[in-house]
């Protein structure tokens, strides 16, 4: 969506949702594009060094020109969910935790060494200044701890380890915040001081 000078990209698979936005964009548009096409655009952008992206459109197609390369994709005729209602508002009574991205990513990967598959639910227990990531499988139990910035009451929640790793692994920022209003409802992860404003919304898992 391009609106009021901002370009917002949203993707979901029904279990998680991610939105990212940048400013300084001219025009207005709201369309649904195929994942493969967007993935190709992202791959080209990773190879470039500050090239300007030119965005063009006609009634049924969208075009991205990056340097000497151009990608064309057909728009999809489908209804996208009203994603804004899935993003919980920031409230003073909500929980917020600040942590080092690499430290949590490494802890998750170490915890998964015993898992027979990556799509495992890991328990995250947050206490004052510390987070414990724990996994229990038929093969045994594993756990790791990470220092965090948090001074509230202890609580435990659980998420897909794979989904957490997917998000943390693609960020560049050093620190990430976690927030929720209820450990049994959706949580939001966001990078601190981001180059691109990003929100990753996850539903908790049952252990």
């Amino acid at each position: 969506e391009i609106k009021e000078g901002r370009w917002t990209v949203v993707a979901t698979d029904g279990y998680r949702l991610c939105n990212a936005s940048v400013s300084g964009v001219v025009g207005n548009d709201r369309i649904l594009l195929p994942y493969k096409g967007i993935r190709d655009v992202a791959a080209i952008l990773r190879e470039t060094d500050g090239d300007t992206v030119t965005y063009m459109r006609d009634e049924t197609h969208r075009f991205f020109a990056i340097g000497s390369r151009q990608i064309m994709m057909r728009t999809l005729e489908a209804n996208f969910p009203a994603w804004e209602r899935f993003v919980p508002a920031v409230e003073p009574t909500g929980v917020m935790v600040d942590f080092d991205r690499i430290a949590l990513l490494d802890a998750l990967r170490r915890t998964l060494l015993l898992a027979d598959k990556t799509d495992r639910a890991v328990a995250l227990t947050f206490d004052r200044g510390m987070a414990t990531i724990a996994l229990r499988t038929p093969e045994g139990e594993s756990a790791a701890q990470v220092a965090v910035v948090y001074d509230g009451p202890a609580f435990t929640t659980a998420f897909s380890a794979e989904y957490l790793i997917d998000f943390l692994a693609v960020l560049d920022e050093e620190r990430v915040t976690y927030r929720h209003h209820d450990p049994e409802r959706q949580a939001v992860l966001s990078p601190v001081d981001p180059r691109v404003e990003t929100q990753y919304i996850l539903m908790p898992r049952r252990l």
Side-chain angles (χ1 to χ4, degrees), residues 10-11 17 21-22 33 48 55 69 77-78 106 120 143 158 178-179 181 184 190-191 206:
V10 185
L17 182 148
S21 61
V22 294
L33 296 174
T48 63
Y55 174 77
R69 291 180 283 188
E77 297 294 332
D106 288 346
R120 287 284 192 179
Y178 163 99
R179 65 179 175 88
H181 304 316
E184 296 184 357
S190 303
R206 292 185 181 275

Side-chain angles (χ1 to χ4, degrees), residues 76-98:
L76 302 177
E77 297 294 332
N79 293 321
F80 195 78
W83 64 271
E84 296 91 343
R85 66 187 179 92
F86 295 106
V87 182
V90 177
E91 296 183 6
T93 57
V95 164
M96 181 170 289
V97 183
D98 181 299

Side-chain angles (χ1 to χ4, degrees), residues 15-203:
Y15 300 98
R16 51 185 169 166
L17 182 148
C18 188
N19 68 81
S21 61
V22 294
S23 58
V25 180
V26 178
N28 291 280
D29 201 3
R30 185 181 177 94
I31 37 82
L32 189 62
L33 296 174
Y35 167 73
K36 183 180 184 302
I38 294 298
R39 184 182 61 189
D40 291 344
V41 171
I44 293 175
L45 289 173
R46 283 193 293 269
E47 299 171 1
T48 63
D49 185 20
D51 286 349
T52 298
V53 178
T54 302
Y55 174 77
M56 299 163 285
R57 64 182 182 176
D58 61 23
E59 290 186 1
T60 57
H61 294 81
R62 297 299 184 270
F63 307 86
F64 293 83
I66 308 166
S68 61
R69 291 180 283 188
Q70 186 176 101
I71 291 180
M72 176 185 73
M73 61 189 84
R74 188 177 183 87
T75 58
L76 302 177
E77 297 294 332
N79 293 321
F80 195 78
W83 64 271
E84 296 91 343
R85 66 187 179 92
F86 295 106
V87 182
V90 177
E91 296 183 6
T93 57
V95 164
M96 181 170 289
V97 183
D98 181 299
F99 57 85
D100 182 274
R101 177 182 66 88
I102 294 297
L104 183 61
L105 183 60
D106 288 346
L108 285 165
R109 287 171 170 163
R110 291 198 308 272
T111 303
L112 286 178
L113 290 176
L114 286 178
D116 57 353
K117 57 182 179 179
T118 57
D119 188 21
R120 287 284 192 179
V122 291
L124 284 85
T125 299
F126 294 95
D127 206 343
R128 296 178 186 273
M130 188 65 64
T132 301
I133 301 97
L135 172 69
R136 179 179 295 177
T137 72
E139 293 78 25
E141 298 181 12
S142 60
Q145 290 188 317
V146 177
V148 299
V149 180
Y150 176 64
D151 194 31
F155 69 91
T156 299
T157 186
F159 295 100
S160 162
E162 180 184 25
Y163 290 175
L164 289 171
I165 290 171
D166 283 348
F167 179 64
L168 297 174
V170 298
L171 295 178
D172 296 322
E173 291 79 7
E174 293 183 359
R175 302 197 68 81
V176 174
T177 59
Y178 163 99
R179 65 179 175 88
H180 74 226
H181 304 316
D182 184 332
E184 296 184 357
R185 302 190 64 183
Q186 69 266 39
V188 181
L189 280 78
S190 303
V192 177
D193 297 326
R195 294 185 300 106
V196 176
E197 294 183 18
T198 306
Q199 293 180 310
Y200 189 58
I201 294 90
L202 275 176
M203 291 300 296

